[in-house]
Amino acid sequence: MFVSVWACLVACSKDNDDSPSGASSLQLTVAGKSWTANSGIIIGTSVTDGKNNLTITGTNNNFEGQTSTFAAILSSATELTTGSYRLSNFDGTASITKVNGKTYIMGSSSFTIQITEVQGTGTSKKFRGTFSGTLKGPAAGDDAIVTNGVFSSF
């Protein structure tokens, strides 16, 4: 009986309008082309070896006729809150695959993640924000400029 009542309370509870909900989203412009993740979207946090990590990743299954994946990882000794994080000054990286058939990585270039909203605690935090930067290609001078990056796990 207790289990039935508990299950009903959990299933029937009203959502708080201020609580995070909905599907995660990830979109950007790379090399002047619009890119939107349509699978494998992960926007989440973890703690490893005392560092707070934010992972932003997703896949576009038909970007210019290929499967392209974007990933950015931010790692900080301090709690991740709203603010601007320049990946070249923190532990972190960013990359995108299959742009003009090539993979681009952060390397020594500049990439910034702006966290504009955070809700929740611990590893159940929800994030919203923007990002932009330059990713380096396989040849010198072969850069992919990422602009209009937007992510949300709300």
Side-chain angles (χ1 to χ4, degrees):
M1 170 103 172
F2 173 75
V3 173
S4 297
V5 171
W6 179 80
C8 181
L9 288 173
V10 170
C12 300
S13 66
K14 183 178 181 218
D15 289 336
N16 180 340
D17 290 340
D18 294 331
S19 66
S21 63
S24 295
S25 62
L26 173 61
Q27 53 192 341
L28 55 96
T29 301
V30 60
K33 301 169 188 168
S34 179
W35 187 104
T36 300
N38 53 24
S39 71
I41 302 170
I42 299 171
I43 300 167
T45 185
S46 64
V47 178
T48 306
D49 296 330
K51 293 219 173 186
N52 298 281
N53 308 298
L54 173 62
T55 299
I56 304 166
T57 189
T59 298
N60 180 318
N61 290 315
N62 192 19
F63 179 70
E64 304 279 304
Q66 300 183 67
T67 299
S68 174
T69 300
F70 172 82
I73 300 171
L74 167 64
S75 184
S76 175
T78 60
E79 184 174 355
L80 296 170
T81 61
T82 57
S84 184
Y85 297 87
R86 188 169 175 208
L87 294 188
S88 59
N89 291 338
F90 291 88
D91 292 333
T93 191
S95 66
I96 192 165
T97 64
K98 303 300 181 185
V99 175
N100 301 319
K102 299 176 258 182
T103 296
Y104 291 82
I105 60 174
M106 192 177 81
S108 62
S109 59
S110 175
F111 203 90
T112 301
I113 296 175
Q114 178 77 36
I115 299 174
T116 58
E117 186 175 356
V118 179
Q119 285 188 18
T121 60
T123 57
S124 64
K125 280 185 179 179
K126 302 287 184 182
F127 292 88
R128 178 176 290 139
T130 62
F131 57 89
S132 62
T134 302
L135 300 176
K136 302 289 186 185
D142 184 10
D143 296 341
I145 307 299
V146 175
T147 60
N148 305 315
V150 178
F151 63 93
S152 176
S153 57
F154 285 83

PDB file of all heavy atoms in Angstrom, residues 71-110:
ATOM      1  N   ALA A  71      31.974  18.911 -29.800  1.00  0.00           N
ATOM      2  CA  ALA A  71      32.174  18.642 -28.377  1.00  0.00           C
ATOM      3  C   ALA A  71      33.003  19.758 -27.752  1.00  0.00           C
ATOM      4  O   ALA A  71      33.972  20.230 -28.343  1.00  0.00           O
ATOM      5  CB  ALA A  71      32.879  17.305 -28.166  1.00  0.00           C
ATOM      6  N   ALA A  72      32.585  20.182 -26.557  1.00  0.00           N
ATOM      7  CA  ALA A  72      33.372  21.128 -25.762  1.00  0.00           C
ATOM      8  C   ALA A  72      33.337  20.631 -24.329  1.00  0.00           C
ATOM      9  O   ALA A  72      32.293  20.201 -23.834  1.00  0.00           O
ATOM     10  CB  ALA A  72      32.799  22.532 -25.856  1.00  0.00           C
ATOM     11  N   ILE A  73      34.480  20.686 -23.681  1.00  0.00           N
ATOM     12  CA  ILE A  73      34.588  20.272 -22.283  1.00  0.00           C
ATOM     13  C   ILE A  73      35.308  21.371 -21.521  1.00  0.00           C
ATOM     14  O   ILE A  73      36.391  21.807 -21.907  1.00  0.00           O
ATOM     15  CB  ILE A  73      35.348  18.947 -22.136  1.00  0.00           C
ATOM     16  CG1 ILE A  73      34.629  17.840 -22.906  1.00  0.00           C
ATOM     17  CG2 ILE A  73      35.504  18.582 -20.662  1.00  0.00           C
ATOM     18  CD1 ILE A  73      35.399  16.549 -23.012  1.00  0.00           C
ATOM     19  N   LEU A  74      34.670  21.814 -20.453  1.00  0.00           N
ATOM     20  CA  LEU A  74      35.228  22.828 -19.569  1.00  0.00           C
ATOM     21  C   LEU A  74      35.464  22.179 -18.221  1.00  0.00           C
ATOM     22  O   LEU A  74      34.588  21.492 -17.702  1.00  0.00           O
ATOM     23  CB  LEU A  74      34.242  23.992 -19.430  1.00  0.00           C
ATOM     24  CG  LEU A  74      34.481  25.003 -18.321  1.00  0.00           C
ATOM     25  CD1 LEU A  74      35.797  25.743 -18.542  1.00  0.00           C
ATOM     26  CD2 LEU A  74      33.330  25.987 -18.274  1.00  0.00           C
ATOM     27  N   SER A  75      36.639  22.357 -17.653  1.00  0.00           N
ATOM     28  CA  SER A  75      36.979  21.783 -16.354  1.00  0.00           C
ATOM     29  C   SER A  75      37.579  22.872 -15.478  1.00  0.00           C
ATOM     30  O   SER A  75      38.503  23.561 -15.891  1.00  0.00           O
ATOM     31  CB  SER A  75      37.966  20.631 -16.535  1.00  0.00           C
ATOM     32  OG  SER A  75      38.235  19.999 -15.319  1.00  0.00           O
ATOM     33  N   SER A  76      37.029  23.018 -14.264  1.00  0.00           N
ATOM     34  CA  SER A  76      37.469  24.095 -13.384  1.00  0.00           C
ATOM     35  C   SER A  76      37.570  23.598 -11.945  1.00  0.00           C
ATOM     36  O   SER A  76      36.755  22.793 -11.499  1.00  0.00           O
ATOM     37  CB  SER A  76      36.463  25.249 -13.462  1.00  0.00           C
ATOM     38  OG  SER A  76      36.798  26.253 -12.546  1.00  0.00           O
ATOM     39  N   ALA A  77      38.541  24.104 -11.227  1.00  0.00           N
ATOM     40  CA  ALA A  77      38.683  23.761  -9.806  1.00  0.00           C
ATOM     41  C   ALA A  77      37.575  24.403  -8.975  1.00  0.00           C
ATOM     42  O   ALA A  77      37.300  23.963  -7.865  1.00  0.00           O
ATOM     43  CB  ALA A  77      40.055  24.203  -9.301  1.00  0.00           C
ATOM     44  N   THR A  78      36.944  25.441  -9.506  1.00  0.00           N
ATOM     45  CA  THR A  78      35.852  26.104  -8.792  1.00  0.00           C
ATOM     46  C   THR A  78      34.515  25.668  -9.374  1.00  0.00           C
ATOM     47  O   THR A  78      34.431  25.165 -10.504  1.00  0.00           O
ATOM     48  CB  THR A  78      35.973  27.638  -8.899  1.00  0.00           C
ATOM     49  OG1 THR A  78      35.917  28.012 -10.275  1.00  0.00           O
ATOM     50  CG2 THR A  78      37.278  28.128  -8.284  1.00  0.00           C
ATOM     51  N   GLU A  79      33.455  25.873  -8.609  1.00  0.00           N
ATOM     52  CA  GLU A  79      32.119  25.508  -9.073  1.00  0.00           C
ATOM     53  C   GLU A  79      31.768  26.307 -10.322  1.00  0.00           C
ATOM     54  O   GLU A  79      32.064  27.492 -10.430  1.00  0.00           O
ATOM     55  CB  GLU A  79      31.091  25.783  -7.980  1.00  0.00           C
ATOM     56  CG  GLU A  79      29.702  25.345  -8.359  1.00  0.00           C
ATOM     57  CD  GLU A  79      28.703  25.477  -7.228  1.00  0.00           C
ATOM     58  OE1 GLU A  79      29.103  25.825  -6.101  1.00  0.00           O
ATOM     59  OE2 GLU A  79      27.532  25.228  -7.491  1.00  0.00           O
ATOM     60  N   LEU A  80      31.138  25.638 -11.276  1.00  0.00           N
ATOM     61  CA  LEU A  80      30.740  26.301 -12.511  1.00  0.00           C
ATOM     62  C   LEU A  80      29.434  27.050 -12.291  1.00  0.00           C
ATOM     63  O   LEU A  80      28.423  26.462 -11.928  1.00  0.00           O
ATOM     64  CB  LEU A  80      30.581  25.273 -13.641  1.00  0.00           C
ATOM     65  CG  LEU A  80      31.879  24.564 -14.021  1.00  0.00           C
ATOM     66  CD1 LEU A  80      31.599  23.411 -14.959  1.00  0.00           C
ATOM     67  CD2 LEU A  80      32.855  25.541 -14.642  1.00  0.00           C
ATOM     68  N   THR A  81      29.502  28.361 -12.481  1.00  0.00           N
ATOM     69  CA  THR A  81      28.344  29.229 -12.289  1.00  0.00           C
ATOM     70  C   THR A  81      28.216  30.117 -13.526  1.00  0.00           C
ATOM     71  O   THR A  81      28.957  29.952 -14.486  1.00  0.00           O
ATOM     72  CB  THR A  81      28.522  30.114 -11.040  1.00  0.00           C
ATOM     73  OG1 THR A  81      29.680  30.940 -11.227  1.00  0.00           O
ATOM     74  CG2 THR A  81      28.697  29.280  -9.775  1.00  0.00           C
ATOM     75  N   THR A  82      27.292  31.066 -13.493  1.00  0.00           N
ATOM     76  CA  THR A  82      27.176  31.973 -14.626  1.00  0.00           C
ATOM     77  C   THR A  82      28.478  32.755 -14.772  1.00  0.00           C
ATOM     78  O   THR A  82      29.146  33.070 -13.792  1.00  0.00           O
ATOM     79  CB  THR A  82      25.988  32.946 -14.452  1.00  0.00           C
ATOM     80  OG1 THR A  82      26.149  33.658 -13.234  1.00  0.00           O
ATOM     81  CG2 THR A  82      24.664  32.199 -14.443  1.00  0.00           C
ATOM     82  N   GLY A  83      28.837  33.031 -16.002  1.00  0.00           N
ATOM     83  CA  GLY A  83      30.065  33.778 -16.261  1.00  0.00           C
ATOM     84  C   GLY A  83      30.708  33.334 -17.549  1.00  0.00           C
ATOM     85  O   GLY A  83      30.241  32.418 -18.229  1.00  0.00           O
ATOM     86  N   SER A  84      31.806  33.974 -17.882  1.00  0.00           N
ATOM     87  CA  SER A  84      32.538  33.698 -19.106  1.00  0.00           C
ATOM     88  C   SER A  84      33.769  32.849 -18.785  1.00  0.00           C
ATOM     89  O   SER A  84      34.528  33.173 -17.878  1.00  0.00           O
ATOM     90  CB  SER A  84      32.955  35.018 -19.758  1.00  0.00           C
ATOM     91  OG  SER A  84      33.574  34.779 -20.981  1.00  0.00           O
ATOM     92  N   TYR A  85      33.949  31.778 -19.553  1.00  0.00           N
ATOM     93  CA  TYR A  85      35.072  30.866 -19.350  1.00  0.00           C
ATOM     94  C   TYR A  85      35.843  30.753 -20.665  1.00  0.00           C
ATOM     95  O   TYR A  85      35.316  30.263 -21.656  1.00  0.00           O
ATOM     96  CB  TYR A  85      34.578  29.482 -18.926  1.00  0.00           C
ATOM     97  CG  TYR A  85      33.862  29.488 -17.599  1.00  0.00           C
ATOM     98  CD1 TYR A  85      32.495  29.743 -17.528  1.00  0.00           C
ATOM     99  CD2 TYR A  85      34.552  29.236 -16.421  1.00  0.00           C
ATOM    100  CE1 TYR A  85      31.832  29.743 -16.308  1.00  0.00           C
ATOM    101  CE2 TYR A  85      33.897  29.234 -15.192  1.00  0.00           C
ATOM    102  CZ  TYR A  85      32.537  29.494 -15.150  1.00  0.00           C
ATOM    103  OH  TYR A  85      31.887  29.498 -13.942  1.00  0.00           O
ATOM    104  N   ARG A  86      37.061  31.222 -20.664  1.00  0.00           N
ATOM    105  CA  ARG A  86      37.909  31.121 -21.848  1.00  0.00           C
ATOM    106  C   ARG A  86      38.689  29.815 -21.734  1.00  0.00           C
ATOM    107  O   ARG A  86      39.521  29.652 -20.837  1.00  0.00           O
ATOM    108  CB  ARG A  86      38.855  32.315 -21.924  1.00  0.00           C
ATOM    109  CG  ARG A  86      39.615  32.356 -23.202  1.00  0.00           C
ATOM    110  CD  ARG A  86      40.323  33.671 -23.366  1.00  0.00           C
ATOM    111  NE  ARG A  86      41.147  33.591 -24.568  1.00  0.00           N
ATOM    112  CZ  ARG A  86      42.234  34.278 -24.737  1.00  0.00           C
ATOM    113  NH1 ARG A  86      42.637  35.119 -23.812  1.00  0.00           N
ATOM    114  NH2 ARG A  86      42.923  34.139 -25.842  1.00  0.00           N
ATOM    115  N   LEU A  87      38.415  28.891 -22.616  1.00  0.00           N
ATOM    116  CA  LEU A  87      38.994  27.547 -22.494  1.00  0.00           C
ATOM    117  C   LEU A  87      40.506  27.545 -22.532  1.00  0.00           C
ATOM    118  O   LEU A  87      41.126  26.694 -21.933  1.00  0.00           O
ATOM    119  CB  LEU A  87      38.440  26.625 -23.580  1.00  0.00           C
ATOM    120  CG  LEU A  87      36.951  26.306 -23.502  1.00  0.00           C
ATOM    121  CD1 LEU A  87      36.576  25.236 -24.507  1.00  0.00           C
ATOM    122  CD2 LEU A  87      36.527  25.880 -22.113  1.00  0.00           C
ATOM    123  N   SER A  88      41.132  28.482 -23.184  1.00  0.00           N
ATOM    124  CA  SER A  88      42.587  28.497 -23.199  1.00  0.00           C
ATOM    125  C   SER A  88      43.174  28.877 -21.837  1.00  0.00           C
ATOM    126  O   SER A  88      44.346  28.654 -21.593  1.00  0.00           O
ATOM    127  CB  SER A  88      43.107  29.455 -24.282  1.00  0.00           C
ATOM    128  OG  SER A  88      42.633  30.756 -24.058  1.00  0.00           O
ATOM    129  N   ASN A  89      42.357  29.414 -20.941  1.00  0.00           N
ATOM    130  CA  ASN A  89      42.816  29.770 -19.603  1.00  0.00           C
ATOM    131  C   ASN A  89      42.386  28.757 -18.544  1.00  0.00           C
ATOM    132  O   ASN A  89      42.769  28.862 -17.397  1.00  0.00           O
ATOM    133  CB  ASN A  89      42.282  31.147 -19.197  1.00  0.00           C
ATOM    134  CG  ASN A  89      42.907  32.256 -20.010  1.00  0.00           C
ATOM    135  OD1 ASN A  89      43.987  32.084 -20.561  1.00  0.00           O
ATOM    136  ND2 ASN A  89      42.233  33.381 -20.093  1.00  0.00           N
ATOM    137  N   PHE A  90      41.562  27.817 -18.910  1.00  0.00           N
ATOM    138  CA  PHE A  90      41.087  26.776 -18.001  1.00  0.00           C
ATOM    139  C   PHE A  90      41.393  25.434 -18.640  1.00  0.00           C
ATOM    140  O   PHE A  90      41.757  25.358 -19.800  1.00  0.00           O
ATOM    141  CB  PHE A  90      39.556  26.886 -17.808  1.00  0.00           C
ATOM    142  CG  PHE A  90      39.122  28.095 -17.044  1.00  0.00           C
ATOM    143  CD1 PHE A  90      38.863  29.290 -17.701  1.00  0.00           C
ATOM    144  CD2 PHE A  90      38.964  28.053 -15.663  1.00  0.00           C
ATOM    145  CE1 PHE A  90      38.451  30.411 -17.011  1.00  0.00           C
ATOM    146  CE2 PHE A  90      38.557  29.169 -14.970  1.00  0.00           C
ATOM    147  CZ  PHE A  90      38.295  30.351 -15.635  1.00  0.00           C
ATOM    148  N   ASP A  91      41.235  24.374 -17.863  1.00  0.00           N
ATOM    149  CA  ASP A  91      41.321  23.054 -18.463  1.00  0.00           C
ATOM    150  C   ASP A  91      40.107  22.897 -19.362  1.00  0.00           C
ATOM    151  O   ASP A  91      38.985  23.149 -18.946  1.00  0.00           O
ATOM    152  CB  ASP A  91      41.305  21.966 -17.384  1.00  0.00           C
ATOM    153  CG  ASP A  91      42.560  21.987 -16.534  1.00  0.00           C
ATOM    154  OD1 ASP A  91      43.605  22.440 -17.037  1.00  0.00           O
ATOM    155  OD2 ASP A  91      42.488  21.543 -15.385  1.00  0.00           O
ATOM    156  N   GLY A  92      40.305  22.486 -20.569  1.00  0.00           N
ATOM    157  CA  GLY A  92      39.182  22.283 -21.461  1.00  0.00           C
ATOM    158  C   GLY A  92      39.608  22.207 -22.905  1.00  0.00           C
ATOM    159  O   GLY A  92      40.761  22.470 -23.245  1.00  0.00           O
ATOM    160  N   THR A  93      38.645  21.856 -23.745  1.00  0.00           N
ATOM    161  CA  THR A  93      38.919  21.745 -25.162  1.00  0.00           C
ATOM    162  C   THR A  93      37.621  21.821 -25.947  1.00  0.00           C
ATOM    163  O   THR A  93      36.543  21.737 -25.366  1.00  0.00           O
ATOM    164  CB  THR A  93      39.666  20.435 -25.487  1.00  0.00           C
ATOM    165  OG1 THR A  93      40.140  20.491 -26.833  1.00  0.00           O
ATOM    166  CG2 THR A  93      38.781  19.221 -25.269  1.00  0.00           C
ATOM    167  N   ALA A  94      37.724  21.980 -27.243  1.00  0.00           N
ATOM    168  CA  ALA A  94      36.563  21.965 -28.133  1.00  0.00           C
ATOM    169  C   ALA A  94      37.004  21.391 -29.473  1.00  0.00           C
ATOM    170  O   ALA A  94      38.170  21.521 -29.868  1.00  0.00           O
ATOM    171  CB  ALA A  94      36.005  23.374 -28.321  1.00  0.00           C
ATOM    172  N   SER A  95      36.066  20.743 -30.159  1.00  0.00           N
ATOM    173  CA  SER A  95      36.361  20.195 -31.484  1.00  0.00           C
ATOM    174  C   SER A  95      35.073  20.010 -32.262  1.00  0.00           C
ATOM    175  O   SER A  95      33.980  19.962 -31.689  1.00  0.00           O
ATOM    176  CB  SER A  95      37.083  18.848 -31.364  1.00  0.00           C
ATOM    177  OG  SER A  95      36.219  17.880 -30.786  1.00  0.00           O
ATOM    178  N   ILE A  96      35.213  19.901 -33.572  1.00  0.00           N
ATOM    179  CA  ILE A  96      34.092  19.581 -34.447  1.00  0.00           C
ATOM    180  C   ILE A  96      34.634  18.727 -35.589  1.00  0.00           C
ATOM    181  O   ILE A  96      35.743  18.965 -36.089  1.00  0.00           O
ATOM    182  CB  ILE A  96      33.355  20.839 -34.958  1.00  0.00           C
ATOM    183  CG1 ILE A  96      32.028  20.451 -35.616  1.00  0.00           C
ATOM    184  CG2 ILE A  96      34.242  21.672 -35.862  1.00  0.00           C
ATOM    185  CD1 ILE A  96      31.085  21.623 -35.817  1.00  0.00           C
ATOM    186  N   THR A  97      33.862  17.720 -35.973  1.00  0.00           N
ATOM    187  CA  THR A  97      34.275  16.834 -37.058  1.00  0.00           C
ATOM    188  C   THR A  97      33.447  17.085 -38.303  1.00  0.00           C
ATOM    189  O   THR A  97      32.354  17.640 -38.242  1.00  0.00           O
ATOM    190  CB  THR A  97      34.106  15.354 -36.664  1.00  0.00           C
ATOM    191  OG1 THR A  97      32.712  15.080 -36.458  1.00  0.00           O
ATOM    192  CG2 THR A  97      34.895  15.016 -35.408  1.00  0.00           C
ATOM    193  N   LYS A  98      34.000  16.673 -39.425  1.00  0.00           N
ATOM    194  CA  LYS A  98      33.327  16.682 -40.729  1.00  0.00           C
ATOM    195  C   LYS A  98      32.849  18.054 -41.173  1.00  0.00           C
ATOM    196  O   LYS A  98      31.731  18.235 -41.637  1.00  0.00           O
ATOM    197  CB  LYS A  98      32.169  15.684 -40.746  1.00  0.00           C
ATOM    198  CG  LYS A  98      32.564  14.266 -40.409  1.00  0.00           C
ATOM    199  CD  LYS A  98      33.590  13.719 -41.387  1.00  0.00           C
ATOM    200  CE  LYS A  98      33.924  12.276 -41.020  1.00  0.00           C
ATOM    201  NZ  LYS A  98      34.968  11.706 -41.809  1.00  0.00           N
ATOM    202  N   VAL A  99      33.706  19.048 -41.025  1.00  0.00           N
ATOM    203  CA  VAL A  99      33.466  20.363 -41.613  1.00  0.00           C
ATOM    204  C   VAL A  99      34.384  20.413 -42.829  1.00  0.00           C
ATOM    205  O   VAL A  99      35.607  20.318 -42.679  1.00  0.00           O
ATOM    206  CB  VAL A  99      33.787  21.504 -40.632  1.00  0.00           C
ATOM    207  CG1 VAL A  99      33.637  22.853 -41.318  1.00  0.00           C
ATOM    208  CG2 VAL A  99      32.896  21.405 -39.408  1.00  0.00           C
ATOM    209  N   ASN A 100      33.802  20.494 -43.997  1.00  0.00           N
ATOM    210  CA  ASN A 100      34.572  20.381 -45.238  1.00  0.00           C
ATOM    211  C   ASN A 100      35.394  19.092 -45.251  1.00  0.00           C
ATOM    212  O   ASN A 100      36.513  19.058 -45.749  1.00  0.00           O
ATOM    213  CB  ASN A 100      35.466  21.607 -45.447  1.00  0.00           C
ATOM    214  CG  ASN A 100      34.679  22.885 -45.501  1.00  0.00           C
ATOM    215  OD1 ASN A 100      33.605  22.931 -46.101  1.00  0.00           O
ATOM    216  ND2 ASN A 100      35.185  23.927 -44.871  1.00  0.00           N
ATOM    217  N   GLY A 101      34.838  18.042 -44.610  1.00  0.00           N
ATOM    218  CA  GLY A 101      35.489  16.732 -44.575  1.00  0.00           C
ATOM    219  C   GLY A 101      36.621  16.609 -43.581  1.00  0.00           C
ATOM    220  O   GLY A 101      37.319  15.599 -43.557  1.00  0.00           O
ATOM    221  N   LYS A 102      36.838  17.630 -42.735  1.00  0.00           N
ATOM    222  CA  LYS A 102      37.978  17.625 -41.819  1.00  0.00           C
ATOM    223  C   LYS A 102      37.528  17.774 -40.364  1.00  0.00           C
ATOM    224  O   LYS A 102      36.410  18.170 -40.085  1.00  0.00           O
ATOM    225  CB  LYS A 102      38.937  18.774 -42.169  1.00  0.00           C
ATOM    226  CG  LYS A 102      39.519  18.674 -43.565  1.00  0.00           C
ATOM    227  CD  LYS A 102      40.376  19.864 -43.880  1.00  0.00           C
ATOM    228  CE  LYS A 102      39.579  20.794 -44.761  1.00  0.00           C
ATOM    229  NZ  LYS A 102      40.299  21.967 -45.193  1.00  0.00           N
ATOM    230  N   THR A 103      38.456  17.481 -39.449  1.00  0.00           N
ATOM    231  CA  THR A 103      38.243  17.676 -38.022  1.00  0.00           C
ATOM    232  C   THR A 103      39.016  18.910 -37.574  1.00  0.00           C
ATOM    233  O   THR A 103      40.177  19.093 -37.959  1.00  0.00           O
ATOM    234  CB  THR A 103      38.723  16.448 -37.216  1.00  0.00           C
ATOM    235  OG1 THR A 103      37.913  15.328 -37.596  1.00  0.00           O
ATOM    236  CG2 THR A 103      38.616  16.677 -35.724  1.00  0.00           C
ATOM    237  N   TYR A 104      38.374  19.742 -36.770  1.00  0.00           N
ATOM    238  CA  TYR A 104      38.985  20.957 -36.247  1.00  0.00           C
ATOM    239  C   TYR A 104      39.012  20.870 -34.726  1.00  0.00           C
ATOM    240  O   TYR A 104      38.020  20.478 -34.108  1.00  0.00           O
ATOM    241  CB  TYR A 104      38.191  22.187 -36.705  1.00  0.00           C
ATOM    242  CG  TYR A 104      38.305  22.434 -38.186  1.00  0.00           C
ATOM    243  CD1 TYR A 104      37.517  21.740 -39.092  1.00  0.00           C
ATOM    244  CD2 TYR A 104      39.222  23.358 -38.671  1.00  0.00           C
ATOM    245  CE1 TYR A 104      37.637  21.958 -40.461  1.00  0.00           C
ATOM    246  CE2 TYR A 104      39.348  23.580 -40.039  1.00  0.00           C
ATOM    247  CZ  TYR A 104      38.559  22.879 -40.921  1.00  0.00           C
ATOM    248  OH  TYR A 104      38.681  23.098 -42.267  1.00  0.00           O
ATOM    249  N   ILE A 105      40.148  21.238 -34.132  1.00  0.00           N
ATOM    250  CA  ILE A 105      40.303  21.176 -32.683  1.00  0.00           C
ATOM    251  C   ILE A 105      40.756  22.530 -32.143  1.00  0.00           C
ATOM    252  O   ILE A 105      41.242  23.379 -32.893  1.00  0.00           O
ATOM    253  CB  ILE A 105      41.314  20.082 -32.264  1.00  0.00           C
ATOM    254  CG1 ILE A 105      42.696  20.362 -32.867  1.00  0.00           C
ATOM    255  CG2 ILE A 105      40.813  18.704 -32.677  1.00  0.00           C
ATOM    256  CD1 ILE A 105      43.785  19.425 -32.405  1.00  0.00           C
ATOM    257  N   MET A 106      40.628  22.701 -30.828  1.00  0.00           N
ATOM    258  CA  MET A 106      40.947  23.991 -30.233  1.00  0.00           C
ATOM    259  C   MET A 106      42.428  24.319 -30.319  1.00  0.00           C
ATOM    260  O   MET A 106      42.802  25.424 -30.678  1.00  0.00           O
ATOM    261  CB  MET A 106      40.482  24.043 -28.777  1.00  0.00           C
ATOM    262  CG  MET A 106      40.520  25.443 -28.215  1.00  0.00           C
ATOM    263  SD  MET A 106      39.904  25.509 -26.547  1.00  0.00           S
ATOM    264  CE  MET A 106      41.327  24.959 -25.642  1.00  0.00           C
ATOM    265  N   GLY A 107      43.298  23.403 -29.990  1.00  0.00           N
ATOM    266  CA  GLY A 107      44.731  23.690 -30.014  1.00  0.00           C
ATOM    267  C   GLY A 107      45.057  24.908 -29.169  1.00  0.00           C
ATOM    268  O   GLY A 107      44.567  25.055 -28.055  1.00  0.00           O
ATOM    269  N   SER A 108      45.850  25.813 -29.699  1.00  0.00           N
ATOM    270  CA  SER A 108      46.224  27.021 -28.957  1.00  0.00           C
ATOM    271  C   SER A 108      45.291  28.193 -29.254  1.00  0.00           C
ATOM    272  O   SER A 108      45.541  29.308 -28.830  1.00  0.00           O
ATOM    273  CB  SER A 108      47.666  27.409 -29.292  1.00  0.00           C
ATOM    274  OG  SER A 108      47.757  27.714 -30.678  1.00  0.00           O
ATOM    275  N   SER A 109      44.229  27.925 -29.997  1.00  0.00           N
ATOM    276  CA  SER A 109      43.305  29.000 -30.348  1.00  0.00           C
ATOM    277  C   SER A 109      42.404  29.359 -29.171  1.00  0.00           C
ATOM    278  O   SER A 109      42.378  28.686 -28.153  1.00  0.00           O
ATOM    279  CB  SER A 109      42.459  28.591 -31.556  1.00  0.00           C
ATOM    280  OG  SER A 109      41.729  27.427 -31.256  1.00  0.00           O
ATOM    281  N   SER A 110      41.660  30.413 -29.319  1.00  0.00           N
ATOM    282  CA  SER A 110      40.786  30.908 -28.263  1.00  0.00           C
ATOM    283  C   SER A 110      39.363  30.391 -28.468  1.00  0.00           C
ATOM    284  O   SER A 110      38.834  30.430 -29.584  1.00  0.00           O
ATOM    285  CB  SER A 110      40.790  32.438 -28.284  1.00  0.00           C
ATOM    286  OG  SER A 110      39.874  32.933 -27.350  1.00  0.00           O
TER     287      SER A 110
END
